Amino acid sequence: MVDSLFESLAKVYEEYILNEQDRNQIEKAYILARNSHQGQLRKSGEPYITHPVAVAIILANVGSGPNTLQAALLHDVVEDTSVTLMDLSKEFGKDVAFIVDGVTKLTKLEFHDAPSQADNHQKMLIAMAKDIRVILIKIADRLHNMRTLDSMRPENQIRIAKETLEIYAPIAHKLGLFVIKAELEDRALKYAEPAKYYEVSRLIQSKKDEREESINNITGVIDKLLKDNGLTNYKIKGRIKNIYSIYKKMYINKRSFEDIYDLLAIRIIVDKVESCYQSLGLIHANFTPIPRRFKDYIAVPKPNLYQSLHTTVLFNDGTLFEVQIRTKEMDDVAELGVAAHWAYKENKNYSKEREQFEMAQKLKWYGELLKMSEDIDDISSGSEEFVESVKGDILGANVYVFTPKGEVIELPKGATPIDFAYRIHSDVGNKMVGATVNNKIVSLDSELKTGDIVSVRTNKSSFGPSESWLKIAKSNHAKHKIKSFLNKKNAEMLAETGKDIILRELNNNKISEDITDEFVKEHFSKNGVRNLEDLYVEIAKNNISAKTVIAKIVGTEINKEQYLQRQMEKTTRAIHSTSETGVIVEGLTNPQIKLGSCCFPIPGDNILGYVSKVGGIVVHDINCPNVISLDQNRKIEVYWATKVDRKFPTLLKIIGPSKPTFLYDIVKIVNASNVNVAEMNSNTTQSLETVIKLKILIEDKEKLEKLIANIQKVSDVYSVERDYR
């Protein structure tokens, strides 16, 4: 038996849901929800059933389907009553039970301290990626809660309001739910910033009658203008911006109330696209358009599918007002966004998978969210980084640039070509060597602006991103990918170094036995080492001694006191080298040593010695490409003296744009760093890049790293790195 409460819902959905079986299921869901919540009250004192019905009405007003409405009515029964998911699955089907389960998991979240809040927001965003209907119900649920927030304690009101502004309103905006987004923002501002809310509200109300009269005059003039020029099938609406949008312009953009040009907006809704541009021509021909205020979102829609023509003009009485021109279909999407685009239609079979795919295709940002949620296991810092990535890179994105093929890429404010490259694909970012914006070569730290056409130059032999890119990138997504690459690259280099150290130690002790993962687990799992690769890394970091590994193999523990004594003697003695190289070979008083001319090692580099066939010892940087091909049996341990009174040659390769002043800028930095240049070579490649190779004289690796950091500060530099021959 239904009542007046249910009839208020039925009145809305019966306008578009005509199938009798679907209507019966919605009624059945209402009866179960009403009976299950019997005796339960909201904090406002109202019967609890009023809440799920209000949520369902909000969703019915945006054309949601029967399953979504059933789930909305039932969204709290599993959490608050004895009804189970299995019960719902039997009575309403697996799809409804799946939606309710998703909403229930989100409802269980408690927002108290910052870490749990980040974790809970992460779960909410991932739930949205799995099924958009879950988040639609959560947004409607939040909207009704905001309407009844007066019954909550003040501290809870502020917390919920801020959370609404940070998460729910931006999601509603991204989904194009303008009506819901505007109400969420206004209601949240009232509790989060009450003084500013009432100040803006007072300013709007102070001249309300005057503005309404102005809107009526303007709409009358435009109506006559369109009729006189043969347009018939159209509607004209006038509106004043919502409180929150005016608050942002006043308090965030620092504009006075009188300087907000688009406070008044006139909307012209026509029957076809051609009429949009015809109406625009008439408006511009009869009113004075304000420069740089015209935007064509029909030719280039916003990422949330919004389409419209925008222009700001001056009326004959001196009033500034914005004109928005669009078709009826565009207006529906402008008001209801994704809900209008995927509104329920009779005789159309719903497929969650198909809808998710279509949404990812049409809403670029939604595809990005899907990728982020799939990549969640790769985010080492957990929920906080994931939430910040979504909030900054997706919900907060407001710069729209184009690929050379015309595809729109959405980026956060201040984004650079590096952010653009990683948004295209991780491999594009990792192999990036340069970029052009609007067909002009730019530095990697150039700030992108809406409307820019960006192209990335890649090189398969690129060494990948450097540490300096982390300072240039603005998006959390790009920073995460750069960190992942650098961590992996660093781990690989450390593993190679550690492997080389242990192989030399095995050779010195004439041990031919292979070290296995099982051996590592048995002896080093207490050190957090899981496999052979981990062991190599720990050896390279000096966390585990190669001699300890040898001791484990031969079954004898190393004499820790003797080892500690040797280490102390080795580190405390100040060896002053009279050798030209500054390299020590323990046990040899006057060895014949030569620094490798392929890698030019300098003090501070990890080095190894190689006994050449002519009898001398050639010293190589451990990262030298030639080290791999050297005979393991001829490698020996060498190290730098603690005091070396000379400068060493080494090579640098610097890549930048084909620009007359580029070489001058680099040489100026090198000279300012008090570094001598022994040789210099510069050439321009076919891809219009300048490649500078320097042979410099420098004291040690610390001084070299400072020089590289200074060179990287030159805005035009694409990359700077050690060079090997």
Side-chain angles (χ1 to χ4, degrees):
M1 185 74 179
V2 295
D3 49 32
S4 59
L5 183 62
F6 176 75
E7 286 172 0
S8 64
L9 167 63
K11 184 179 178 181
V12 182
Y13 73 71
E14 284 179 354
E15 290 184 9
Y16 65 94
I17 297 177
L18 307 178
N19 184 287
E20 200 61 37
Q21 186 177 351
D22 288 337
R23 290 182 173 186
N24 290 339
Q25 284 295 96
I26 296 171
E27 184 178 324
K28 183 178 173 183
Y30 168 75
I31 293 170
L32 177 61
R34 183 190 62 189
N35 294 342
S36 300
H37 289 299
Q38 188 72 39
Q40 294 179 355
L41 300 176
R42 302 196 78 217
K43 289 190 182 295
S44 61
E46 297 173 295
Y48 196 88
I49 188 61
T50 58
H51 171 65
V53 170
V55 171
I57 289 173
I58 291 168
L59 292 167
N61 278 319
V62 298
S64 296
N67 286 7
T68 306
L69 297 183
Q70 291 169 57
L73 289 166
L74 299 165
H75 77 269
D76 281 335
V77 295
V78 173
E79 172 68 12
D80 296 338
T81 76
S82 60
V83 177
T84 66
L85 282 172
M86 190 173 290
D87 295 333
L88 296 184
S89 186
K90 286 179 182 177
E91 294 294 325
F92 302 97
K94 291 182 180 179
D95 190 51
V96 171
F98 175 83
I99 302 170
V100 172
D101 185 38
V103 178
T104 301
K105 286 174 180 174
L106 297 182
T107 305
K108 286 180 181 178
L109 305 179
E110 294 183 5
F111 303 93
H112 292 305
D113 51 44
S116 70
Q117 188 177 49
D119 187 50
N120 295 330
H121 285 168
Q122 177 197 55
K123 291 173 184 174
M124 184 176 70
L125 293 164
I126 292 173
M128 178 168 70
K130 288 179 179 176
D131 192 325
I132 199 71
R133 295 173 297 175
V134 172
I135 203 64
L136 285 175
I137 292 175
K138 279 303 294 180
I139 288 173
D141 175 76
R142 176 52 59 103
L143 179 57
H144 185 247
N145 285 335
M146 291 304 298
R147 288 173 179 173
T148 56
L149 202 57
D150 279 342
S151 58
M152 302 285 283
R153 292 199 304 271
E155 61 271 24
N156 287 339
Q157 290 175 343
I158 294 171
R159 172 179 54 79
I160 293 169
K162 287 182 176 178
E163 184 183 280
T164 299
L165 290 173
E166 282 185 17
I167 296 290
Y168 287 92
I171 290 174
H173 173 71
K174 283 295 177 183
L175 292 171
L177 298 164
F178 175 79
V179 175
I180 291 176
K181 171 222 172 200
E183 187 177 347
L184 283 173
E185 288 176 336
D186 285 357
R187 290 184 180 277
L189 183 64
K190 180 181 176 182
Y191 295 98
E193 297 273 7
K196 292 174 182 175
Y197 170 86
Y198 286 112
E199 170 64 11
V200 174
S201 180
R202 183 188 64 76
L203 288 168
I204 292 173
Q205 290 295 323
S206 65
K207 295 186 178 180
K208 182 182 176 184
D209 294 340
E210 185 181 320
R211 286 194 196 90
E212 286 180 352
E213 183 181 348
S214 182
I215 286 175
N216 291 334
N217 289 339
I218 293 165
T219 53
V221 172
I222 292 175
D223 184 44
K224 184 175 185 307
L225 177 64
L226 298 181
K227 278 180 182 173
D228 289 348
N229 285 274
L231 284 169
T232 54
N233 196 3
Y234 64 85
K235 287 182 182 178
I236 303 175
K237 301 177 183 177
R239 70 171 180 86
I240 296 174
K241 277 190 172 291
N242 68 308
I243 293 173
Y244 185 78
S245 64
I246 296 172
Y247 155 82
K248 280 204 304 182
K249 291 178 185 291
M250 288 178 61
Y251 294 100
I252 298 176
N253 299 337
K254 307 296 183 185
R255 290 167 60 184
S256 67
F257 184 73
E258 291 72 21
D259 290 337
I260 301 174
Y261 295 158
D262 51 357
L263 189 64
L264 303 179
I266 305 298
R267 188 173 302 160
I268 302 172
I269 301 167
V270 295
D271 57 343
K272 52 190 176 183
V273 174
E274 303 92 283
S275 300
C276 292
Y277 290 96
Q278 184 182 353
S279 302
L280 177 70
L282 292 170
I283 296 293
H284 278 186
N286 289 273
F287 301 99
T288 304
I290 303 300
R292 297 187 298 277
R293 297 289 298 175
F294 169 66
K295 293 173 184 174
D296 187 344
Y297 294 121
I298 292 179
V300 184
K302 286 186 178 183
N304 61 6
L305 306 179
Y306 177 91
Q307 287 183 286
S308 186
L309 297 176
H310 286 199
T311 187
T312 301
V313 296
L314 187 66
F315 193 52
N316 51 23
D317 66 354
T319 305
L320 282 168
F321 62 95
E322 183 184 62
V323 180
Q324 300 169 356
I325 309 170
R326 52 193 181 231
T327 65
K328 173 67 171 65
E329 292 75 18
M330 293 175 191
D331 192 54
D332 288 341
V333 173
E335 293 291 319
L336 305 176
V338 69
H341 199 86
W342 279 276
Y344 175 77
K345 296 177 181 65
E346 294 286 352
N347 304 319
K348 179 184 175 184
N349 292 327
Y350 174 82
S351 165
K352 177 171 76 76
E353 291 73 22
R354 187 186 68 217
E355 183 171 285
Q356 297 289 98
F357 175 76
E358 287 179 359
M359 199 167 295
Q361 293 294 101
K362 287 185 176 291
L363 293 172
K364 183 77 176 175
W365 69 267
Y366 191 70
E368 292 296 330
L369 177 62
L370 289 175
K371 280 195 282 186
M372 281 190 184
S373 64
E374 289 166 2
D375 200 29
I376 187 64
D377 292 335
D378 188 39
I379 298 180
S380 56
S381 28
S383 57
E384 196 164 345
E385 182 169 338
F386 175 79
V387 172
E388 287 306 311
S389 292
V390 174
K391 284 168 66 177
D393 301 351
I394 294 181
L395 301 183
N398 57 5
V399 173
Y400 309 107
V401 299
F402 298 92
T403 68
K405 293 182 179 179
E407 183 183 2
V408 179
I409 301 295
E410 194 176 7
L411 296 168
K413 187 177 181 181
T416 66
I418 291 175
D419 299 290
F420 175 87
Y422 279 100
R423 184 57 62 89
I424 298 297
H425 197 278
S426 298
D427 289 342
V428 174
N430 291 339
K431 297 299 180 184
M432 180 185 191
V433 293
T436 62
V437 175
N438 304 324
N439 291 322
K440 292 181 181 178
I441 295 173
V442 298
S443 60
L444 296 185
D445 63 352
S446 299
E447 185 174 330
L448 300 178
K449 295 178 177 61
T450 294
D452 283 344
I453 300 172
V454 188
S455 178
V456 175
R457 297 202 304 278
T458 59
N459 189 327
K460 290 181 181 178
S461 59
S462 166
F463 288 105
S466 65
E467 290 277 350
S468 63
W469 285 25
L470 290 170
K471 297 177 183 176
I472 299 172
K474 293 295 182 290
S475 65
N476 290 293
H477 173 72
K479 288 178 181 178
H480 168 63
K481 292 298 180 183
I482 293 167
K483 285 178 188 174
S484 295
F485 179 91
L486 293 173
N487 289 340
K488 184 179 178 184
K489 182 180 177 182
N490 189 41
E492 288 172 353
M493 289 172 62
L494 287 171
E496 282 296 317
T497 302
K499 183 178 181 181
D500 200 65
I501 292 170
I502 197 67
L503 286 175
R504 286 205 310 275
E505 200 66 37
L506 288 169
N507 184 55
N508 291 340
N509 287 274
K510 296 181 172 52
I511 296 173
S512 58
E513 183 179 339
D514 289 333
I515 303 175
T516 64
D517 285 345
E518 287 70 26
F519 171 85
V520 172
K521 286 178 184 176
E522 181 184 351
H523 295 285
F524 298 101
S525 59
K526 64 183 179 182
N527 300 82
V529 177
R530 299 164 298 177
N531 51 43
L532 187 55
E533 199 78 6
D534 287 353
L535 179 63
Y536 290 151
V537 171
E538 293 305 305
I539 289 172
K541 289 180 177 178
N542 291 322
N543 292 335
I544 295 176
S545 166
K547 288 181 171 56
T548 300
V549 179
I550 298 301
K552 297 286 186 184
I553 293 173
V554 299
T556 58
E557 289 291 338
I558 191 167
N559 186 315
K560 293 181 180 178
E561 287 189 8
Q562 288 182 5
Y563 176 71
L564 182 60
Q565 184 65 30
R566 287 204 304 270
Q567 288 297 103
M568 288 177 66
E569 288 173 0
K570 188 174 178 180
T571 54
T572 55
R573 65 187 173 186
I575 303 173
H576 184 85
S577 173
T578 56
S579 163
E580 277 294 310
T581 61
V583 174
I584 301 298
V585 182
E586 202 156 13
L588 298 180
T589 55
N590 192 23
Q592 183 183 347
I593 298 174
K594 178 185 176 185
L595 297 178
S597 59
C598 49
C599 53
F600 288 101
I602 60 176
D605 287 338
N606 287 325
I607 53 175
L608 61 83
Y610 179 72
V611 181
S612 67
K613 291 181 180 179
V614 294
I617 298 170
V618 181
V619 177
H620 291 273
D621 184 329
I622 204 81
N623 297 315
C624 177
N626 294 327
V627 167
I628 299 172
S629 60
L630 297 179
D631 183 352
Q632 292 289 339
N633 296 320
R634 302 176 73 89
K635 294 179 182 177
I636 63 169
E637 187 174 357
V638 297
Y639 57 93
W640 295 104
T642 55
K643 291 183 181 178
V644 184
D645 296 329
R646 59 161 289 188
K647 291 186 177 182
F648 294 80
T650 197
L651 304 176
L652 282 180
K653 182 168 76 172
I654 305 155
I655 301 176
S658 177
K659 184 178 174 183
T661 59
F662 183 59
L663 178 59
Y664 170 77
D665 291 340
I666 297 302
V667 173
K668 188 168 70 172
I669 288 291
V670 175
N671 289 337
S673 301
N674 200 25
V675 174
N676 297 326
V677 178
E679 292 178 19
M680 180 169 59
N681 179 270
S682 174
N683 65 79
T684 303
T685 65
Q686 290 182 339
S687 58
L688 296 178
E689 290 176 342
T690 297
V691 179
I692 300 172
K693 293 196 174 185
L694 298 178
K695 185 176 183 181
I696 59 173
L697 299 174
I698 201 157
E699 290 89 341
D700 52 39
K701 191 173 182 179
E702 183 181 352
K703 294 259 177 74
L704 179 65
E705 288 174 345
K706 287 181 181 177
L707 173 63
I708 290 173
N710 287 334
I711 292 173
Q712 285 172 335
K713 291 176 184 176
V714 177
S715 60
D716 290 328
V717 169
Y718 296 161
S719 66
V720 52
E721 58 195 18
R722 293 280 288 274
D723 196 20
Y724 300 105
R725 288 178 176 172

